[in-house]
Amino acid sequence: MSAAAIEPIDLIDYVVNQGNGVKGLSKLGLKSIPKQYIQPPEERLDKNQVIHEESIPIIDVSNWDDPRVVESISEAAGKWGFFQIINHGIPIEVLENVMEAAHKFFELPSEEKKKYLKENSPTQTVQLKTSFSLAEKVLEWKDFLMHFYFPNDESVQLWPSVSKDQVLEYVNCAKPVIRNLLEVLLKGLNVKELDKTKESVLMGNLIVDLMHYPKCPNPDLAAGVGRHSDISSITILLQDDVGGLYVRGTGPDQWIHVTPVKGALVVNIGDILQIVSNDRYKSIEHRVIVDERRDRVSVPIFVNPADDVLIGPFPEVLQNGEKPIYKQFLFPEYFNFFFSKGPEGKNTMEYVKL
């Protein structure tokens, strides 16, 4: 099948309904990508905007109680919105196993993978998707398997056998790291305790994705992920050695490549933490560029609020008379608005501003 032969309806049928995904397109040996994946010039990464002299901080968290760790993380959250952590305590084999499981899932035959499309999946806690959403104007060069994680949920037994155990092991190892990160970040806001209420606001739900960005014949024209900030409180990202994650720099129109560090986790501040901090911490635009020669895999854990808690600036942040920038809202409202359209940088936050 040539690129020219793929009409919009045929493309959706081939990629989505038949379960081939972008992985299937990549295997067709196309010389050029279908037009539906070609980003407009203004949304392509201009290599002249990439700043090679700067990088996001790498923070050793072997001692979470060290005041220097608190200071480094709070400073990175306010200035960069991104940092990497090392010596976090998750065994390297756990990280390698979940990455290998991601590769194995996306190497499955399409008939096997399509069992996990939303309309076919044995449970709605695992769903195979492609692109960002099919509502966007230009499709993204990626496939991903979403896992909605709830403690003691028996539906995990219906997750794909090729990756289920590895995903669960990784999540269970990551949960104490997530809690430690949030406790440190709250200290930077003079919030003394991650109590039950704040726990619901900051880590009420977890979503774990196995992300797969197949090799692409025209990486300069496509996007693995377009410009966006995450709607989570924080996101913990495990990335392979292919690279391709770029974050917005501190200067205008600057982008910084997040160089992979073996065993490290990339942490980024999401919109929710920017909102509860009343802009003390920053959720930063980032994007993913695909590769011509290699498939890229990453495993983000999106740490989200519970569905039934009101979100707004924390009282501790406003106690000195500071005016709130954001209204109160429920997370599902924000989540649904975000996924009703394609990535639009940080425009989603305008939706909840006062």
Side-chain angles (χ1 to χ4, degrees):
M1 185 184 298
S2 69
I6 300 178
E7 294 300 325
I9 188 65
D10 295 327
L11 180 81
I12 298 302
D13 184 59
Y14 179 81
V15 171
V16 179
N17 301 334
Q18 295 180 38
N20 291 296
V22 178
K23 177 74 172 178
L25 282 180
S26 179
K27 285 183 169 182
L28 291 177
L30 303 176
K31 300 299 182 189
S32 59
I33 59 175
K35 63 181 183 295
Q36 294 89 343
Y37 290 93
I38 298 176
Q39 295 288 325
E42 65 272 15
E43 291 298 333
R44 300 172 199 167
L45 179 65
D46 182 347
K47 296 298 173 69
N48 294 321
Q49 295 176 340
V50 177
I51 308 301
H52 298 284
E53 297 77 25
E54 290 191 319
S55 61
I56 65 171
I58 299 173
I59 301 172
D60 185 334
V61 295
S62 50
N63 181 4
W64 289 100
D65 295 324
D66 187 335
R68 290 171 298 181
V69 171
V70 177
E71 183 181 352
S72 297
I73 287 177
S74 298
E75 182 180 334
K79 179 181 178 182
W80 300 95
F82 267 84
F83 51 95
Q84 298 198 69
I85 57 172
I86 57 174
N87 297 324
H88 42 69
I90 302 178
I92 191 71
E93 59 267 25
V94 173
L95 305 180
E96 291 175 345
N97 287 346
V98 75
M99 299 278 258
E100 183 182 357
H103 280 291
K104 285 183 175 177
F105 176 81
F106 287 103
E107 287 295 343
L108 290 173
S110 58
E111 284 302 312
E112 189 64 27
K113 285 186 292 190
K114 70 186 290 187
K115 293 177 183 177
Y116 298 98
L117 293 170
K118 184 174 182 178
E119 59 272 22
N120 302 336
S121 182
T123 168
Q124 291 305 290
T125 63
V126 64
Q127 298 175 23
L128 175 63
K129 295 178 178 285
T130 187
S131 190
F132 176 85
S133 74
L134 298 179
E136 60 195 314
K137 295 174 184 174
V138 182
L139 300 178
E140 294 176 338
W141 195 262
K142 73 177 181 193
D143 304 313
F144 59 107
L145 187 68
M146 292 182 77
H147 304 79
F148 297 84
Y149 173 83
F150 304 97
N152 307 314
D153 181 5
E154 293 185 0
S155 74
V156 299
Q157 300 307 319
L158 301 174
W159 291 1
S161 59
V162 73
S163 52
K164 167 177 65 74
D165 292 343
Q166 294 86 344
V167 169
L168 288 172
E169 183 180 37
Y170 176 52
V171 174
N172 285 324
C173 288
K175 283 193 290 186
V177 177
I178 291 166
R179 187 174 191 87
N180 284 331
L181 277 166
L182 289 171
E183 287 178 343
V184 166
L185 286 161
L186 287 180
K187 284 180 184 176
L189 298 175
N190 294 316
V191 177
K192 293 182 173 59
E193 183 188 3
L194 182 59
D195 58 21
K196 288 292 183 186
T197 300
K198 288 185 171 59
E199 189 174 305
S200 293
V201 170
L202 295 177
M203 54 183 297
N205 285 314
L206 300 180
I207 297 176
V208 189
D209 287 354
L210 300 183
M211 309 289 296
H212 190 266
Y213 305 91
K215 56 188 177 184
C216 176
N218 309 115
D220 293 340
L221 300 180
V225 184
R227 293 181 304 112
H228 72 290
S229 61
D230 290 348
I231 60 172
S232 54
S233 60
I234 58 172
T235 301
I236 313 296
L237 177 76
L238 172 63
Q239 62 169 344
D240 64 14
D241 62 351
V242 174
L245 172 62
Y246 289 82
V247 305
R248 179 76 78 176
T250 54
D253 294 325
Q254 291 181 348
W255 292 90
I256 298 168
H257 184 239
V258 180
T259 304
V261 175
K262 187 175 178 62
L265 295 172
V266 180
V267 180
N268 68 277
I269 304 304
D271 292 352
I272 296 302
L273 198 55
Q274 177 168 338
I275 289 163
V276 300
S277 74
N278 214 40
D279 281 359
R280 306 272 181 89
Y281 295 149
K282 300 292 191 295
S283 67
I284 299 296
E285 282 186 349
H286 50 288
R287 67 204 306 173
V288 174
I289 305 303
V290 289
D291 193 90
E292 189 172 10
R293 297 176 302 279
R294 297 175 63 191
D295 293 352
R296 178 181 186 268
V297 157
S298 68
V299 185
I301 300 178
F302 299 100
V303 185
N304 295 328
D307 289 347
D308 58 352
V309 292
L310 277 176
I311 299 158
F314 283 154
E316 293 91 337
V317 178
L318 305 176
Q319 63 186 1
N320 293 324
E322 188 176 319
K323 297 292 186 187
I325 299 169
Y326 303 95
K327 64 184 180 182
Q328 292 193 320
F329 61 94
L330 293 171
F331 185 65
E333 174 188 351
Y334 194 66
F335 184 93
N336 292 334
F337 177 72
F338 181 74
F339 280 100
S340 69
K341 52 193 177 41
E344 294 180 346
K346 283 177 63 70
N347 289 347
T348 307
M349 294 194 75
E350 297 297 320
Y351 183 67
V352 291
K353 277 191 174 178
L354 286 170

